[in-house]
Amino acid sequence: RFDIKSPHKQLQVRNLNLTDAGIYTCKYGSHEVRTSLHIFNLNLSSHGLFLQNEAPELILMQNSSGPLPDLSITLFDSNNNRVTAEVQNKNRQKYIVNLKKLEAMDSGTWVCQVHSDSPLINKNISFAVKVLGFQNPDLERKYAAVDSTVILSWHLNSQQIKWKKGFTGQLNWKQQEGANAHELLDFNATALGELNETKKSSNFLFEIPEGKRESTIEVKLPKVHFNHSGQYQCQLKYQGRYAQNKIELVVMKVSANPAGPLSRGANITLTCQVSGLLPPSAYLHWERVNGTEMDKKNSKQQEVKLDVNVSAAGLWSCHLIEDSDRKISLHYLVEEAPVWINYVIIGASIGGSLLAFALGCLCIISGISWQRRRQRAKRMAQARQHLLENRTCQCQQ
């Protein structure tokens, strides 16, 4: 590891170790020059390869021929922002720096700035940090209407940091927290950085889209059902560690009771319903297009179902509003029954009333007639009894 470079007789030392620190003496005749070599060694846990939300540990060691100086350590991330870190001093030879949890955006070249006043040391040591993770928000919420098509996407940064192999992952789905998870697909990275995906579920209707972006995991639900809602969790695994990201799918539907046309003087109940809990800032809103303020109704906070009684035909819309932003809208056309149907209904009502009246009269007449027959039969029975009693008396006389 040691070479003398001509013509200036320079000593070159390759692959420095901590034990190489010390005083180096150059002698030429009666001349003697001494140089002190101070060596730093910086190590990053996990060889600088991290998953999202992992907190790395940095170890800085020093060695010198003289007394070891008390070092001041400052860290800067890949965006040249100063990083708050906890530094532990181990007898001046070993410094342990505990970093915060990393995000995908933290990938890049970091700088460890080492300073000492005596002896004067100002040294910048650069090191690479690779963080494999998701570019999605930590908990993303996606809204969809029943029978619509939905594509759920997770974007990895594996191409940006050139992390080509060694990690695997899977995509799970469960309807609510604490429920059993259903594995939808597995994936792994090839040596070229491409993702191989294997469909796992046999009882769930979804597709794996073609022609998607690199480093992207996607599932396509061509026709969303109301019970397809829930948590879709993508999980990355690397050397026994893992990182995960969730997308919450909320499905909305509208219905009417009764579902038929609205006849004159009748009411229809429209129901707007979502499949899961809403955040505190979200609510449901019914309104009639081109209607009045009387045709509007809001749900209560975090209410997942909203009914509205409709007595006027027209186009009604249900909106899911979150932070004053319409996330999704569904429409229901309340049709007015044709005139002849109204006449039929009116005629049927009148006919029914007349029929009921006639039946009532018939029942009354039948009842009176039956009562009269009963009374007449009773009188005849009494008369026969009276005659029998009279005949008996005459025979005795």
Side-chain angles (χ1 to χ4, degrees), residues 85-146:
E86 179 185 352
V87 181
Q88 302 177 28
N89 188 340
K90 302 291 185 181
N91 62 30
R92 293 193 177 183
Q93 184 180 18
K94 184 177 182 180
Y95 293 80
I96 300 177
V97 184
N98 296 312
L99 280 70
K100 64 180 181 65
K101 289 184 178 181
L102 298 176
E103 299 295 335
M105 64 184 70
D106 292 326
S107 294
T109 301
W110 289 43
V111 174
C112 177
Q113 190 178 82
V114 181
H115 175 77
S116 171
D117 292 328
S118 179
L120 182 61
I121 298 175
N122 284 304
K123 181 66 177 177
N124 289 338
I125 305 173
S126 59
F127 57 98
V129 175
K130 290 186 176 183
V131 185
L132 179 62
F134 301 92
Q135 296 173 324
N136 301 53
D138 189 32
L139 178 58
E140 185 177 354
R141 185 176 287 104
K142 191 155 188 168
Y143 299 102
V146 168

Side-chain angles (χ1 to χ4, degrees), residues 9-255:
K9 305 300 181 181
Q10 294 176 330
L11 176 65
Q12 184 181 57
V13 184
R14 296 185 300 273
N15 299 325
L16 286 172
N17 298 321
L18 282 173
T19 55
D20 293 328
I23 297 176
Y24 289 77
T25 303
C26 178
K27 293 182 179 181
Y28 181 71
S30 60
H31 298 281
E32 183 176 294
V33 178
R34 293 186 176 186
T35 299
S36 176
L37 181 60
H38 192 122
I39 295 180
F40 296 100
N41 182 27
L42 187 147
N43 282 318
L44 195 59
S45 59
S46 301
H47 306 288
L49 303 176
F50 302 98
L51 294 179
Q52 194 171 3
N53 291 325
E54 288 186 335
E57 182 183 77
L58 185 146
I59 298 176
L60 178 68
M61 300 187 69
Q62 64 172 337
N63 194 13
S64 175
S65 58
L68 296 176
D70 188 11
L71 301 177
S72 172
I73 299 175
T74 307
L75 291 179
F76 296 89
D77 63 15
S78 58
N79 297 315
N80 202 30
N81 297 319
R82 185 169 178 169
V83 177
T84 302
E86 179 185 352
V87 181
Q88 302 177 28
N89 188 340
K90 302 291 185 181
N91 62 30
R92 293 193 177 183
Q93 184 180 18
K94 184 177 182 180
Y95 293 80
I96 300 177
V97 184
N98 296 312
L99 280 70
K100 64 180 181 65
K101 289 184 178 181
L102 298 176
E103 299 295 335
M105 64 184 70
D106 292 326
S107 294
T109 301
W110 289 43
V111 174
C112 177
Q113 190 178 82
V114 181
H115 175 77
S116 171
D117 292 328
S118 179
L120 182 61
I121 298 175
N122 284 304
K123 181 66 177 177
N124 289 338
I125 305 173
S126 59
F127 57 98
V129 175
K130 290 186 176 183
V131 185
L132 179 62
F134 301 92
Q135 296 173 324
N136 301 53
D138 189 32
L139 178 58
E140 185 177 354
R141 185 176 287 104
K142 191 155 188 168
Y143 299 102
V146 168
D147 294 334
S148 66
T149 298
V150 175
I151 295 179
L152 305 177
S153 301
W154 287 264
H155 306 292
L156 307 178
N157 65 338
S158 58
Q159 287 291 334
Q160 296 177 2
I161 63 176
K162 297 180 180 177
W163 192 319
K164 296 189 180 300
K165 60 180 179 179
F167 73 88
T168 61
Q170 63 183 30
L171 178 62
N172 301 322
W173 165 69
K174 54 184 177 180
Q175 285 201 287
Q176 58 188 4
E177 193 71 36
N180 293 330
H182 304 276
E183 187 176 353
L184 300 185
L185 59 89
D186 287 343
F187 60 89
N188 65 285
T190 66
L192 299 177
E194 299 174 350
L195 293 176
N196 285 335
E197 300 169 353
T198 304
K199 192 171 180 179
K200 301 289 289 186
S201 177
S202 58
N203 56 359
F204 190 85
L205 298 178
F206 73 95
E207 301 174 3
I208 302 177
E210 298 291 338
K212 57 181 178 292
R213 286 170 32 185
E214 290 182 331
S215 300
T216 300
I217 301 297
E218 286 185 354
V219 292
K220 178 180 178 182
L221 282 65
K223 194 171 183 179
V224 178
H225 297 167
F226 196 68
N227 59 357
H228 285 169
S229 62
Q231 298 177 358
Y232 292 79
Q233 183 181 86
C234 191
Q235 203 173 70
L236 296 176
K237 298 178 182 179
Y238 179 72
Q239 293 184 349
R241 299 127 57 194
Y242 70 91
Q244 59 190 19
N245 184 273
K246 296 179 183 179
I247 295 180
E248 181 84 16
L249 179 62
V250 179
V251 183
M252 187 169 78
K253 66 179 180 179
V254 295
S255 59

Side-chain angles (χ1 to χ4, degrees), residues 377-396:
K378 186 176 181 180
R379 287 196 300 269
M380 291 178 67
Q382 289 176 350
R384 283 195 298 269
Q385 181 68 26
H386 182 69
L387 289 174
L388 288 174
E389 290 176 354
N390 288 338
R391 288 177 183 174
T392 303
C393 293
Q394 291 173 0
C395 290
Q396 288 176 354

